[in-house]
Amino acid sequence: MAFLGGSVPGAARLHLVDGVSLLRPEEQVFEAMLTGFANQQLARNLARTTVEGRENTVKAFAAYVNAFPWQWTPAMVDEWLGDLRSLRDLKRSTIRSYSEAVRVFCHFVTDPLYKWPATCEGRFGTHPIQVVHEWNTATHVQEGESDPAKRAFTKAELQAFFTHCDDEVARIRSFGRKGWLPAFRDATLFKTAYAFGLRRNETRMLDAADFGTNPHGPEFGSFGRCQVRFGKAKKGSPPKRRGVLTVWGWTVEVLDEWFTEIRPLFGADGNPAAWPSERGLRIGCQRLNSRFVAYRQALGLDDGLDFHSLRRFYVTHLIEDGWDPRFVQEQVGHEHASTTALYTCVSSDFRTRTLRRRLDATVVAALRSQKGEQA
């Protein structure tokens, strides 16, 4: 194998020298395909996590069918996806992402531009084909396909959750343990995620400098605005930025206490992260997940609540309180209003009040009309 200059990222001639005998031809050609596939995706600005995830999926499929890409058939895909659903009980969206990884890989290795069909014909007497089609994979027919069990907090649940966060800090601190600092950090992080309607990674990637003033909201002082720099990105694009305005006064008290009194105790001088880790730059996703799950289980709450439920309830809370839907959409960074609508889980009390107001208004209008006719 050798790397030669060329203008097409992922082309066979960039990774295999024509006429050179290989010690393990099948394995080496497959590895060269994967390398070319990765280069082609990186050239399209796809995230490395996306590239690595697709590569691992292709490897898993190849290991399952015990065959190389030029030997794959649609029937192999049917059996693999069937096992993923029946035996492993994976979610529909996960199965679709797996089939999509194999589909785009096959599209890559069957494209004549990259010379892999000709390479396989010359070395193995056959060539790869597209094995993932509309008739053997599920289509994405709904705008929202999240787990139906996932939901927003209720007001009572959220209050209980935050109260438990604070109680844990006090409990750990009463024993004289250092663990109260991480517990305080995580409690503040959870509250911040809700206060600004942030996703998990958006929250953990915040720096102290990402909080600033809002000239149109001077009552919020130095915490009138949160600048999100690592928003959810589209494929091939960098993280999406957005500014989120503070809407609740208690947010200022929470953040001021954290940055003024507690965060300096971490010894985070020179660390820009808003939520420094005890051993690294910033807290990791796994730590956040484990803390959240521990608190949820301690309160006896169901598994439908996850970190994203804080964001769901943020949207719900604002809509219930009468905030303009367009403002809410801009706050959470949704491109389409329909996406924000999917997050809106208005409570039964809110719907009951709305229905009652409408019915009462109808009755009043009817009585007025009746009086007018009698007059």
Side-chain angles (χ1 to χ4, degrees), residues 86-246:
S86 60
L87 298 182
R88 297 183 55 188
D89 194 28
L90 297 182
K91 297 184 184 300
R92 289 178 172 83
S93 57
T94 303
I95 292 176
R96 184 180 299 108
S97 69
Y98 285 2
S99 63
E100 175 66 9
V102 176
R103 187 193 69 79
V104 295
F105 175 77
C106 288
H107 181 75
F108 164 72
V109 295
T110 57
D111 190 336
L113 179 65
Y114 295 100
K115 307 296 184 182
W116 290 110
T119 298
C120 292
E121 281 284 357
R123 293 182 181 273
F124 311 117
T126 185
H127 58 83
I129 62 172
Q130 178 60 265
V131 296
V132 180
H133 306 276
E134 291 185 3
W135 42 264
N136 69 341
T137 54
T139 57
H140 194 165
V141 295
Q142 293 184 182
E143 183 175 2
E145 292 189 323
S146 59
D147 186 343
K150 301 300 182 183
R151 62 178 180 84
F153 280 91
T154 65
K155 288 186 178 180
E157 287 172 338
L158 187 68
Q159 184 60 55
F161 185 83
F162 286 157
T163 298
H164 184 73
C165 289
D166 295 338
D167 289 345
E168 279 296 287
V169 175
R171 183 186 66 82
I172 298 172
R173 192 171 188 177
S174 67
F175 288 109
R177 299 173 184 171
K178 294 182 179 179
W180 74 270
L181 281 174
F184 199 112
R185 174 201 59 203
D186 297 349
T188 308
L189 187 150
F190 292 145
K191 294 172 185 177
T192 302
Y194 167 63
F196 295 100
L198 307 181
R199 300 177 178 90
R200 181 182 59 182
N201 196 56
E202 292 175 348
T203 310
R204 64 175 289 270
M205 293 301 294
L206 288 174
D207 285 350
D210 290 329
F211 296 96
T213 59
N214 174 8
H216 301 289
E219 59 267 46
F220 297 121
S222 300
F223 301 102
R225 175 187 175 92
C226 174
Q227 182 65 34
V228 177
R229 294 177 295 110
F230 289 87
K232 187 176 181 180
K234 294 182 178 180
K235 289 184 179 180
S237 301
K240 186 178 179 180
R241 292 170 174 257
R242 74 177 187 279
V244 187
L245 303 181
T246 304

Side-chain angles (χ1 to χ4, degrees), residues 55-74:
E55 180 180 352
N56 291 335
T57 299
V58 171
K59 287 181 178 179
F61 174 61
Y64 177 87
V65 299
N66 194 28
F68 293 103
W70 49 93
Q71 301 167 329
W72 293 351
T73 66

Side-chain angles (χ1 to χ4, degrees), residues 1-4 10-22 24-33 70 114-116 118-120 123-124:
M1 283 189 197
F3 182 90
L4 304 178
R13 66 189 185 87
L14 296 179
H15 304 279
L16 293 171
V17 178
D18 294 335
V20 175
S21 298
L22 303 177
R24 304 179 308 280
E26 292 87 357
E27 296 177 11
Q28 290 176 276
V29 170
F30 183 34
E31 286 296 326
M33 283 179 168
W70 49 93
Y114 295 100
K115 307 296 184 182
W116 290 110
T119 298
C120 292
R123 293 182 181 273
F124 311 117

